[in-house]
Amino acid sequence: KPYVVGSSAVRIDCSNSNYDSVYVSYYGGEIPLPRPSFSTSREKEFLDKPDSIWVFPFARSVSYRFNYKGIYHLQLDTTVDAGLTLTNFGESYPRVQEVDQLVESLAYLTTTAEYDQLKTAANKKLAVDNFWIERAGDLDKARELIRVYYNRVFFANYYFTSFKPGWKTDRGMIYIIYGPPQSVKVEPGQEKWIYYKNNFSSTVTFTFDHTPNAFSVDNFSLQRSDSYDTYWRSAVDTWRKGKIYLIE
């Protein structure tokens, strides 16, 4: 997995024994949400400059700890962009247990004002519970919504983590909002997620292009289209009305 949990110790191996230093670029800023599936605006750049740069002695016998939440890009040779990227997204990752994680992953369903209120609430756990109860109308339905939604966040983290937490990747966003696809077609450089509707008479397909970069070889970018606008708004509206969304 491309992440460390909390203060876990890490050892780094390399077939080339000529290196004696490891250079660490640390990015601790907030990772932006992916754009909605219908948005054609440019993605925000957040990895242009590291917040800190460290140099450590490199040896196979040395254990390293990356205690701060964020992204760590490790290089033995700084003349090339590529390196080893490790992330730290908290003690419980990929599980969703910390109250801040419960709040942050609601960003897909909330208005800006609602999200700000949740993030600044004196009792964030109570605020999250109240959000779901207000949507569902009663406690039992709220529990079911919470179970399904945060299970999807967990599986998005488990399967789709790259240099971003899985729930903030394009695949993670689609998985959380629309659920697991009924069919996945893997092609060279692409994944196509297929959702059937109208009793299997038609489909909605999301295409993800494999877009590796210096930070991750497991990065996929959604081919966005304004044709997804109706499905996105319908999905969010359904969740906000206290129902689990299914493409029909």
Side-chain angles (χ1 to χ4, degrees), residues 183-199:
S183 178
V184 176
K185 188 175 182 180
V186 179
E187 300 178 346
Q190 278 187 344
E191 280 187 10
K192 292 184 177 181
W193 290 16
I194 302 168
Y195 295 82
Y196 296 95
K197 62 175 186 171
N198 299 328
N199 295 322

Side-chain angles (χ1 to χ4, degrees), residues 32-45 164 170 173 221-226 233:
L33 289 169
R35 295 165 291 134
S37 55
F38 62 86
S39 173
T40 56
S41 62
R42 294 185 61 183
E43 185 173 9
K44 292 181 179 178
E45 177 58 58
K164 301 177 182 179
D170 284 352
M173 173 185 66
S221 299
L222 174 65
Q223 290 185 9
R224 288 168 167 80
S225 169
D226 55 13
R233 297 186 190 281

Side-chain angles (χ1 to χ4, degrees), residues 6-7 53 65 167 197 224 245:
S7 58
I53 298 177
R65 297 181 189 274
W167 75 272
K197 62 175 186 171
R224 288 168 167 80
Y245 180 71

Side-chain angles (χ1 to χ4, degrees), residues 23-221:
Y23 301 85
V24 182
S25 297
Y26 170 70
Y27 302 82
E30 184 174 357
I31 299 172
L33 289 169
R35 295 165 291 134
S37 55
F38 62 86
S39 173
T40 56
S41 62
R42 294 185 61 183
E43 185 173 9
K44 292 181 179 178
E45 177 58 58
F46 70 101
L47 293 175
D48 52 344
K49 291 182 181 180
D51 297 297
S52 300
I53 298 177
W54 306 313
V55 182
F56 294 132
F58 172 67
R60 292 178 178 85
S61 59
V62 174
S63 293
Y64 304 89
R65 297 181 189 274
F66 305 97
N67 296 333
Y68 302 109
K69 288 185 180 180
I71 300 168
Y72 299 82
H73 189 55
L74 284 60
Q75 296 174 287
L76 298 177
D77 182 355
T78 57
T79 63
V80 296
D81 291 334
L84 170 66
T85 300
L86 296 175
T87 58
N88 184 339
F89 298 130
E91 292 284 350
S92 62
Y93 194 85
R95 298 184 304 277
V96 188
Q97 295 179 340
E98 300 173 18
V99 67
D100 285 341
Q101 295 170 329
L102 299 176
V103 170
E104 289 170 358
S105 52
L106 280 177
Y108 295 130
L109 303 184
T110 53
T111 65
T112 301
E114 289 170 340
Y115 188 62
D116 289 342
Q117 289 175 359
L118 288 169
K119 292 197 74 170
T120 58
N123 187 329
K124 293 182 182 179
K125 179 61 170 63
L126 179 61
V128 169
D129 289 342
N130 286 339
F131 172 86
W132 287 109
I133 292 171
E134 289 172 7
R135 307 278 88 75
D138 66 61
L139 189 57
D140 288 338
K141 289 182 180 179
R143 287 192 180 116
E144 180 65 7
L145 287 171
I146 289 170
R147 184 187 69 81
V148 172
Y149 191 81
Y150 289 114
N151 270 350
R152 290 185 183 181
V153 175
F154 163 74
F155 283 116
N157 288 342
Y158 187 84
Y159 288 113
F160 307 129
T161 297
S162 57
F163 61 98
K164 301 177 182 179
W167 75 272
K168 281 190 172 183
T169 64
D170 284 352
R171 289 185 296 175
M173 173 185 66
I174 297 299
Y175 186 92
I176 291 167
I177 295 299
Y178 299 99
Q182 280 84 18
S183 178
V184 176
K185 188 175 182 180
V186 179
E187 300 178 346
Q190 278 187 344
E191 280 187 10
K192 292 184 177 181
W193 290 16
I194 302 168
Y195 295 82
Y196 296 95
K197 62 175 186 171
N198 299 328
N199 295 322
F200 294 86
S201 63
S202 59
T203 62
V204 177
T205 301
F206 295 99
T207 301
F208 302 90
D209 294 322
H210 185 215
T211 52
N213 57 32
F215 297 92
S216 176
V217 297
D218 193 33
N219 189 51
F220 284 78
S221 299

